Amino acid sequence: MAEPAYLAWMDTVLFAGLALAAGLTLLVSYRVIRGPTVPDRVVALDTIGTNVVAIAALYAIWSQQGYFVGVSLVLAIIGFISTITVARYVTEGDIIE
């Protein structure tokens, strides 16, 4: 049985999204390495974390396996907490008062 046209289109869009997120992650890694200031590096690491969440979510849609949605949610929570922690360290110089 032939695959409906909208499923082929959806696969193309998902692969394009995966490729775009992966490519942007590689480009942002340059800013992590060469960023002139620490806040530039923090923003770049946060962007990489967001892109990894997007990659996990897109892969969950493509593979139709729901546990990748849970993985993306856990990654988002960890990314948020680590961004807050690093931002506090950069601004105050100490994480725990």
Side-chain angles (χ1 to χ4, degrees), residues 4-56:
Y6 67 88
L7 288 180
W9 179 79
M10 183 68 108
D11 278 345
T12 304
V13 170
L14 288 172
F15 279 129
L18 283 167
L20 182 66
L24 289 175
T25 301
L26 290 175
L27 288 174
V28 170
S29 65
Y30 173 79
R31 184 56 54 196
V32 172
I33 296 167
R34 300 281 301 189
T37 63
V38 173
D40 288 332
R41 291 185 171 118
V42 170
V43 170
L45 284 172
D46 188 43
T47 303
I48 288 174
T50 303
N51 285 345
V52 168
V53 169
I55 289 169

Side-chain angles (χ1 to χ4, degrees), residues 36-95:
T37 63
V38 173
D40 288 332
R41 291 185 171 118
V42 170
V43 170
L45 284 172
D46 188 43
T47 303
I48 288 174
T50 303
N51 285 345
V52 168
V53 169
I55 289 169
L58 287 171
Y59 186 75
I61 294 169
W62 178 76
S63 67
Q64 298 177 353
Q65 296 183 9
Y67 61 87
F68 284 109
V69 174
V71 168
S72 65
L73 288 174
V74 169
L75 286 172
I77 292 168
I78 291 171
F80 174 74
I81 292 171
S82 65
T83 300
I84 296 299
T85 303
V86 171
R88 186 169 178 179
Y89 177 74
V90 167
T91 57
E92 298 178 11
D94 193 16
I95 296 172

